[in-house]
Amino acid sequence: MMSVDSLYAELGVDFQPNDRQIFLQELADVAYAYKTPLGSEAKTKNDSNRLIELVAELGREVAEFSPKLAIVPLRKKLFADLHLKIPPYIANLLKRFHFYLVDFPITLFPKPGWGFERLECRVEFNPDHSSTERPVAYQIFPHEEWQDIINAWQDLTVGLDENFEFKADSAQPTEQLLNLSPPAKAAIELKMAGKAGLILGPFNHYVRRPKILSRGRGNVKVMWRLEGEEKIMQTEPRLGVVLQVPKHVSRIDAIGALAVFRNFHFFTSELRDVLDFLSKPAKNFLKSGAPGTDKKLWNDIVAGF
């Protein structure tokens, strides 16, 4: 059975979230005691002060899940309120399954001016239940099929259409489409909401210019990797799942694990000078970009619906 600790281990980090402050305190202690026979005393003092300031800023960074998930049930009433006919395929699914839009809000607060280069996130549903009790991801966002669209159209907002699929909001301004190539325009038009528009949304699911890798449609576990040349600096990226739940399942628990990384070259030359004075775990932590991590268990997420 999958536990939140097992899911966290899949991120490939060899420390727990609370260990981050321990490593930073070790770096602070080394910075205070930093002495070198090379260079002037003034330079040594300035290098030490810069390290201490760096530690303080890293200690204020935040990378964490929201303790509460945003959940919207997807029911026949959505169609009735909009005077829309339910597509036959969806009508058939609704006889056997409940559907929910589940958002996983993430708060990122990086060191000023730095941002993060990569975000890894994994979530899983009813990890300790039998296979017949486990919901699956019907749709996920962002998915790599959106990558070129997101790169071409900044601040893109999306919602759900009548097929419970993520679509671009057709009501938003389209001036940005004018200078795009025909293939890019075609890709965006394919992802635009149809005549029925959005039955839910639009939502601020937009992500700023990352490379996207995601897996999990039709599975009980969903994985995202967002990375790219531009720093991931958005304070609250929202990762979305349309969850498909067998009607006999009344309780859904979810677990999640995340990690955000930056490249080591962002750190100062002074930091490289003191690496040899750090323990191996602290050294590995810094060389991997002083990642921020979090893991969370959300119990009975659809209670009350």
Side-chain angles (χ1 to χ4, degrees):
M1 294 296 182
M2 174 66 69
S3 69
V4 67
D5 289 327
S6 300
L7 192 68
Y8 180 84
E10 292 182 5
L11 296 174
V13 295
D14 56 0
F15 65 92
Q16 293 298 310
N18 291 339
D19 292 340
R20 190 174 194 272
Q21 292 303 320
I22 297 174
F23 297 146
L24 291 177
Q25 184 58 55
E26 181 179 341
L27 177 58
D29 292 342
V30 171
Y32 276 116
Y34 181 38
K35 294 290 185 291
T36 176
L38 302 177
S40 66
E41 181 178 345
K43 179 182 183 301
T44 301
K45 183 177 181 180
N46 288 336
D47 290 349
S48 179
N49 288 339
R50 281 194 291 268
L51 274 178
I52 293 168
E53 291 171 0
L54 173 64
V55 171
E57 290 176 335
L58 292 176
R60 290 190 290 269
E61 288 188 330
V62 175
E64 63 185 15
F65 287 111
S66 168
K68 185 174 178 60
L69 301 181
I71 300 173
V72 180
L74 305 178
R75 295 174 176 157
K76 294 179 180 179
K77 188 176 185 300
L78 282 174
F79 296 89
D81 290 345
L82 296 170
H83 306 288
L84 294 176
K85 184 178 179 180
I86 303 175
Y89 179 70
I90 296 298
N92 185 52
L93 287 177
L94 286 171
K95 295 176 182 178
R96 297 176 291 132
F97 300 98
H98 293 301
F99 287 85
Y100 302 89
L101 173 63
V102 184
D103 281 341
F104 292 87
I106 297 172
T107 297
L108 297 182
F109 187 79
K111 179 184 180 296
W114 283 25
F116 300 104
E117 294 290 316
R118 187 170 96 249
L119 166 65
E120 299 264 0
C121 180
R122 301 183 181 217
V123 298
E124 189 160 356
F125 304 97
N126 278 359
D128 296 323
H129 293 66
S130 66
S131 59
T132 60
E133 302 285 321
R134 304 198 68 181
V136 299
Y138 180 73
Q139 294 289 333
I140 62 178
F141 188 89
H143 192 272
E144 53 254 45
E145 63 193 19
W146 284 84
Q147 180 171 300
D148 292 341
I149 300 172
I150 290 172
N151 288 341
W153 194 342
Q154 289 300 288
D155 296 345
L156 179 70
T157 56
V158 301
L160 293 182
D161 72 358
E162 70 274 17
N163 293 304
F164 296 162
E165 294 182 4
F166 289 98
K167 293 288 185 178
D169 180 15
S170 57
Q172 60 193 314
T174 57
E175 289 84 356
Q176 297 180 69
L177 297 179
L178 298 177
N179 298 321
L180 298 180
S181 66
K185 288 182 181 178
I188 290 176
E189 289 168 357
L190 188 63
K191 286 296 182 183
M192 295 289 282
K195 291 182 179 179
L198 301 176
I199 65 167
L200 201 62
F203 304 103
N204 290 327
H205 278 291
Y206 60 86
V207 180
R208 299 181 189 275
R209 299 177 78 80
K211 298 176 183 177
I212 301 168
L213 178 66
S214 60
R215 294 290 184 270
R217 283 197 294 209
N219 207 331
V220 298
K221 182 195 297 186
V222 177
M223 297 171 281
W224 290 275
R225 177 182 296 156
L226 308 180
E227 61 182 340
E229 294 180 0
E230 291 201 11
K231 303 168 189 174
I232 300 172
M233 297 186 67
Q234 187 177 333
T235 54
E236 292 187 354
R238 298 169 72 89
L239 308 179
V241 175
V242 174
L243 200 59
Q244 179 178 334
V245 186
K247 280 198 169 181
H248 68 272
V249 176
S250 59
R251 178 188 174 102
I252 304 172
D253 299 324
I255 57 175
L258 71 86
V260 287
F261 303 85
R262 63 172 64 82
N263 290 332
F264 181 67
H265 70 257
F266 279 102
F267 293 108
T268 64
S269 59
E270 293 86 355
L271 177 57
R272 294 187 181 94
D273 290 339
V274 302
L275 283 179
D276 289 340
F277 299 97
L278 297 171
S279 66
K280 185 176 180 180
K283 186 185 302 184
N284 290 340
F285 164 76
L286 291 166
K287 284 187 173 182
S288 62
T293 63
D294 193 23
K295 56 185 177 182
K296 197 79 71 182
L297 167 64
W298 299 276
N299 290 312
D300 204 3
I301 64 174
V302 298
F305 291 113

